[in-house]
Amino acid sequence: VFVKEGDVVKKGAPLLSFISGPTLMAPFNGTVTSLPYNVGENVFPETPALTLEDLSDRYVVATLEQQGAIRVVKGQPVSLSFESIRNQTFKGHVRAIFPQKSQFIVHIECPELSAEILPGMTADVAIEVARRESALLVPVIAVSSGKILVIKDHRPEKIDIKVGSIDGEWAEVLSKNLSESDEVVIKK
């Protein structure tokens, strides 16, 4: 074993040497992120003996459910925030979206990620699937079967509304029978 976990190696540098085979060389510049075996231990077929990652090729992987994946396409803008760096938002875009083992995987390219962001960290991801200027929004929890409860003339009244885009917390109101000044009732 020529390296340790955390070592940064150049392409062509020796990594491992096996008793019954040639020396394994680094196929690219990278960082050794896993070395699960010690010298003298048996390594079984199809079990990684070493993991080398190119930490300069930085992207975020997100998984989506089917309903969300339908609205995501390559190139859409993305905002990322990390739990340990809440005061900073990083901008990126969707590099690719594809199915994988009954899930929908999104690769997000974010050139401005700081060096403190490491593989395996979790992020809050917001993919912009639509943009509306001056949209009237109501909390999603206020909408029930296409109706919301509002206070009109000091009395509660259920009104029908047509909903547009939804982001999980807010719903865009497309119908004209609700105005900004109406008081929406939210049941807890």
Side-chain angles (χ1 to χ4, degrees), residues 38-49:
N38 294 313
V39 173
E41 288 184 314
N42 289 328
V43 177
F44 299 99
E46 298 190 27
T47 303

Side-chain angles (χ1 to χ4, degrees), residues 9-182:
V9 298
K10 298 277 186 208
K11 180 178 180 177
L15 300 173
L16 299 171
S17 183
F18 296 97
I19 293 172
S20 61
T23 298
L24 178 65
M25 309 299 260
F28 53 84
N29 295 343
T31 302
V32 178
T33 59
S34 175
L35 193 57
Y37 294 98
N38 294 313
V39 173
E41 288 184 314
N42 289 328
V43 177
F44 299 99
E46 298 190 27
T47 303
L50 179 140
T51 304
L52 181 67
E53 293 190 45
D54 179 0
L55 298 183
S56 66
D57 182 20
R58 300 168 54 108
Y59 59 91
V60 174
V61 176
T63 58
L64 298 175
E65 81 292 339
Q66 184 173 337
Q67 192 64 27
I70 288 171
R71 302 176 69 199
V72 174
V73 295
K74 183 178 178 178
Q76 287 174 319
V78 179
S79 294
L80 303 164
S81 65
F82 292 83
E83 202 170 297
S84 54
I85 313 173
R86 282 290 177 201
N87 60 342
Q88 190 172 1
T89 301
F90 299 95
K91 300 293 181 193
H93 66 276
V94 174
R95 180 186 343 180
I97 180 166
F98 52 91
Q100 184 181 79
K101 297 180 183 173
S102 302
Q103 293 184 331
F104 300 93
I105 309 298
V106 180
H107 279 200
I108 300 163
E109 192 166 299
C110 190
E112 63 184 45
L113 277 182
S114 69
E116 19 184 29
I117 306 299
L118 298 172
M121 289 185 167
T122 57
D124 291 325
V125 176
I127 301 172
E128 186 179 303
V129 295
R131 178 177 287 265
R132 305 280 194 275
E133 299 297 327
S134 304
L136 179 60
L137 303 176
V138 294
V140 170
I141 60 172
V143 181
S144 176
S145 300
K147 297 181 183 298
I148 61 169
L149 187 61
V150 296
I151 303 296
K152 288 196 182 242
D153 299 324
H154 306 292
R155 295 174 35 189
E157 179 183 332
K158 274 192 177 181
I159 61 171
D160 292 320
I161 63 165
K162 184 176 180 189
V163 175
S165 294
I166 298 174
D167 75 356
E169 187 177 348
W170 297 96
E172 175 188 21
V173 178
L174 300 176
S175 43
K176 303 293 182 200
N177 58 345
L178 184 70
S179 68
E180 265 185 78
S181 61
D182 288 337

